[in-house]
């Protein structure tokens, strides 16, 4: 298959290609990027007026397979990812059984090869069963193909165990992704602690529940001189802590998710369980700090934390509802609306955060438009308006607080290994 993408505005996120270019793809590989290329191709995509990016890389999602296929499976999850413009996704280990060993990592990789629409990179657990007690077999998981380790969904409460995990993982060339949450501060909280939790009469989670753990990971990373990555940053003080740490040379990196820069705890009003997520949606002050953190590169990565749930797990009393937002299919629209349209991020810095930096974190050869690399490409329209309709989600998870929201900016084509897997043009 020979594919020619013509006349799109190409941004590779590293400043090598920025401008109107053609991309010629043969045998699944990018052969050439340049102006006015004249190749004979089997298919030509006219991308005039559209934007052409390296395929998005999601460093944090939940595919729920094995064990929770009623919420999502590798096929539905990767199709949803493709519709969101993601060509590679790293999935968290809170499956059943937990991805804390070679067998589960191998199962995910094999199933993704057979049924996956995009590339899948499993993240192994830090501790066996994600119980926070005994380290998982990190070397064995790395050998099987794990690209990072994390106990995402739950924190590693023991600082000593976390310190060992950071050391072991580093010896195997893996980075620890930390879910920062102090359960003694969280108690039985189910939303952000503050004005809204008081109005709604719901038990609150103080912002410090995240921040004390962010501070701990910064100190561990600093003491060991080993990089650590902080998952789903949601508060102003987390951003400040990470900014200050980076300034003094600590090798800490972090991500945030579209819901933290587009929503506040106001979204919970009416006991909307689709706005229940962990960490919880915060205040306007926090949201603005997240935007600032993105703008000044304190926040390196935009990840979805795609967390699909079954309707029965959301259509319940707020305190009992599962945490999570089905995030793949709204991610680009939200980035376009809140980051690009507003000028918070340039196109290039956006691409660095959604493709280049996540690939670096996971140490995978993705997020690039380099000639000779696999042709994973996302083509977007920044003008196209859509109204989010969860019934149209490819994901099994319809749990989105954005249902009915008008967003400007849409994914038009997703290309994986030179194959057009999404085509969204009227
Ligand atoms: O909201 C969340 N959902 N946060 C997490 O940390 C875990 C995730 C899930 O697995 O549903």
């Amino acid at each position: 298959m020979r594919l020619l993408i013509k006349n799109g505005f190409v941004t590779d996120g590293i400043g090598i290609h920025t401008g109107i270019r053609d991309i010629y793809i043969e045998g699944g590989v990018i052969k050439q990027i340049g102006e006015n290329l004249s190749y004979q191709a089997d298919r030509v995509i006219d991308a005039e007026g559209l934007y052409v990016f390296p395929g998005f890389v999601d460093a944090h999602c939940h595919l729920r397979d094995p064990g929770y296929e009623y919420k999502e499976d590798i096929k539905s999850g990767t199709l949803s990812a493709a519709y969101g413009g993601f060509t590679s996704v790293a999935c968290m280990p809170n499956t059943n059984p937990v991805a804390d060993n070679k067998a589960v990592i191998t199962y995910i990789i094999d199933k993704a090869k057979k049924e996956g629409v995009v590339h899948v990179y499993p993240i192994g657990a830090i501790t066996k069963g994600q119980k926070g007690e005994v380290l998982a077999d990190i070397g064995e998981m790395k050998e099987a193909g794990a690209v990072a380790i994390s106990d995402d969904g739950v924190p590693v409460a023991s600082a000593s165990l976390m310190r060992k995990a950071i050391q072991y993982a580093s010896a195997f060339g893996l980075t620890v992704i930390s879910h920062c949450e102090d359960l003694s501060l969280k108690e039985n909280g189910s939303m952000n602690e503050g004005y809204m939790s008081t109005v709604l009469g719901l038990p609150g989670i103080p912002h410090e529940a995240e921040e004390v753990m962010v501070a701990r990971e910064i100190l561990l990373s600093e003491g060991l001189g080993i990089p650590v990555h902080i998952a789903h940053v949601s508060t102003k003080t987390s951003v400040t802590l990470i900014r200050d740490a980076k300034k003094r040379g600590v090798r800490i990196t972090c991500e945030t998710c579209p819901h933290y820069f587009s929503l506040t705890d106001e979204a919970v009003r009416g006991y909307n369980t689709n706005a229940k997520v962990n960490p919880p949606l915060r205040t306007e002050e926090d949201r603005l700090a997240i935007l600032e953190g993105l703008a000044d590169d304190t926040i390196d990565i935009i990840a979805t934390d795609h967390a699909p749930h079954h309707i029965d797990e959301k259509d319940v009393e707020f305190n009992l509802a599962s945490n999570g937002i089905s995030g793949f299919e709204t991610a680009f629209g939200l980035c376009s609306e809140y980051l690009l349209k507003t000028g918070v991020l340039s196109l290039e810095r956006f691409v660095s955060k959604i493709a280049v930096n996540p690939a670096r974190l996971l140490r995978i050869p993705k997020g690039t438009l380099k000639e000779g690399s696999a042709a994973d490409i996302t083509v977007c329209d920044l003008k196209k308006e859509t109204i989010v309709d969860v019934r149209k989600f490819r994901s099994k998870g319809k749990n989105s607080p954005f249902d009915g929201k008008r967003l400007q900016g849409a994914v038009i084509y997703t290309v994986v290994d030179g194959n057009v897997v999404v085509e969204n043009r009227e």
Side-chain angles (χ1 to χ4, degrees):
M1 168 84 175
R2 295 166 305 170
L3 177 66
L4 185 58
I5 304 176
K6 281 198 80 67
N7 296 318
F9 190 96
V10 174
T11 305
D12 63 3
I14 53 169
I16 293 178
H17 296 289
T18 320
I20 306 283
R21 303 277 190 281
D22 297 346
I23 303 184
Y24 177 65
I25 296 152
E26 199 183 301
V29 170
I30 297 178
K31 289 287 178 193
Q32 197 181 350
I33 304 190
E35 290 170 51
N36 303 313
L37 300 185
S38 56
Y39 283 95
Q40 279 298 318
D42 303 305
R43 173 154 190 211
V44 179
I45 289 180
D46 176 12
E48 199 182 327
L50 302 179
Y51 292 81
V52 181
F53 306 126
F56 301 159
V57 178
D58 192 0
H60 186 152
C61 73
H62 300 269
L63 296 180
R64 308 296 193 208
D65 195 346
Y68 303 109
E69 294 87 348
Y70 68 95
K71 296 178 195 255
E72 192 81 288
D73 57 36
I74 284 176
K75 197 171 177 182
S76 64
T78 55
L79 186 64
S80 174
Y83 272 81
F86 295 92
T87 54
S88 294
V89 299
C91 54
M92 286 297 174
N94 57 345
T95 48
N96 186 16
V98 168
D100 62 2
N101 62 73
K102 186 174 162 181
V104 181
I105 298 291
T106 305
Y107 163 91
I108 295 168
I109 290 174
D110 288 351
K111 192 162 181 197
K113 270 192 197 130
K114 281 190 218 119
E115 298 181 9
V117 182
V118 305
H119 303 289
V120 174
Y121 294 92
I123 294 172
I126 299 174
T127 63
K128 288 192 176 157
Q130 293 193 279
K131 290 195 166 79
E133 292 161 3
V134 181
L135 285 186
D137 292 317
I138 299 170
E140 188 186 279
M141 291 192 290
K142 158 80 183 191
E143 217 177 273
V147 292
I149 59 166
S150 178
D151 268 3
D152 183 66
V154 285
V156 176
S158 158
S160 156
L161 198 58
M162 187 50 131
R163 189 166 181 272
K164 288 195 185 84
I166 296 167
Q167 285 176 301
Y168 272 105
S170 148
F172 291 108
L174 298 176
T175 303
V176 169
I177 300 178
S178 175
H179 171 107
C180 289
E181 185 179 28
D182 183 311
L183 296 179
S184 71
L185 283 167
K186 180 187 183 183
E187 295 189 274
N188 64 340
S190 63
M191 70 171 294
N192 184 54
E193 181 180 279
Y195 174 79
M196 272 317 291
S197 64
T198 310
V199 168
L200 295 173
L202 289 170
I205 305 170
H207 51 88
E208 297 95 322
E210 173 175 316
E211 294 149 359
V212 294
M213 201 71 119
V214 169
R216 183 191 82 176
E217 310 310 37
I218 288 170
L219 292 174
L220 291 176
S221 169
E222 186 167 21
L224 294 167
I226 298 172
V228 171
H229 181 76
I230 310 286
H232 42 51
V233 167
S234 74
T235 82
K236 180 179 174 175
T237 300
S238 291
V239 173
T240 306
L241 286 165
I242 294 163
R243 180 181 293 121
D244 292 349
K246 283 186 166 189
K247 268 192 201 137
R248 59 175 195 275
V250 183
R251 294 161 74 196
I252 200 98
T253 57
C254 72
E255 70 194 32
T256 193
C257 316
H259 38 275
Y260 299 118
F261 60 70
S262 58
L263 292 178
T264 66
D265 54 3
E266 277 286 328
V268 176
R269 215 183 257 285
Y271 304 92
N272 181 1
T273 57
N274 285 326
K276 184 177 177 188
V277 63
N278 187 24
L281 299 172
R282 308 284 186 182
T283 64
E284 181 64 3
E285 200 184 346
D286 294 301
R287 190 185 76 85
L288 295 175
I290 296 289
L291 288 174
E292 251 175 63
L294 284 162
D296 72 5
D297 284 345
T298 299
I299 300 174
D300 308 272
I301 288 174
I302 299 166
T304 66
D305 197 1
H306 174 75
H309 289 292
H310 191 270
I311 175 95
D312 291 348
E313 294 159 325
K314 286 290 195 180
D315 201 7
V316 292
E317 199 182 300
F318 195 87
N319 281 330
L320 301 175
S322 296
N323 281 302
I325 291 173
S326 181
F328 283 143
E329 291 168 73
T330 50
F332 180 70
L334 292 167
C335 289
S336 166
E337 194 71 47
Y338 289 88
L339 306 179
L340 297 175
K341 250 171 98 172
T342 51
V344 169
L345 292 182
S346 64
L347 274 180
E348 185 161 301
R349 309 250 314 295
F350 162 69
V351 172
S352 76
K353 290 179 202 297
I354 204 154
V356 180
N357 295 345
R360 271 190 200 145
L361 168 74
L362 306 169
R363 309 179 207 203
I364 58 174
K366 299 292 177 186
T368 174
L369 291 177
K370 237 182 20 218
E371 288 169 0
S373 59
D376 289 352
I377 295 170
T378 300
V379 181
C380 299
D381 185 339
L382 292 181
K383 297 240 166 68
K384 183 172 170 168
E385 287 202 356
T386 48
I387 293 176
V388 178
D389 182 352
V390 296
R391 289 164 306 179
K392 292 190 183 148
F393 277 7
R394 265 56 179 198
S395 170
K396 290 184 193 176
K398 312 299 179 193
N399 48 305
S400 170
F402 301 106
D403 193 31
K405 188 172 173 63
R406 182 181 293 273
L407 293 175
Q408 193 177 27
V411 173
I412 307 296
Y413 298 100
T414 306
V415 177
V416 178
D417 289 330
N419 300 309
V420 182
V421 298
V422 169
E423 206 164 338
N424 208 1
R425 211 167 200 182
E426 273 102 47

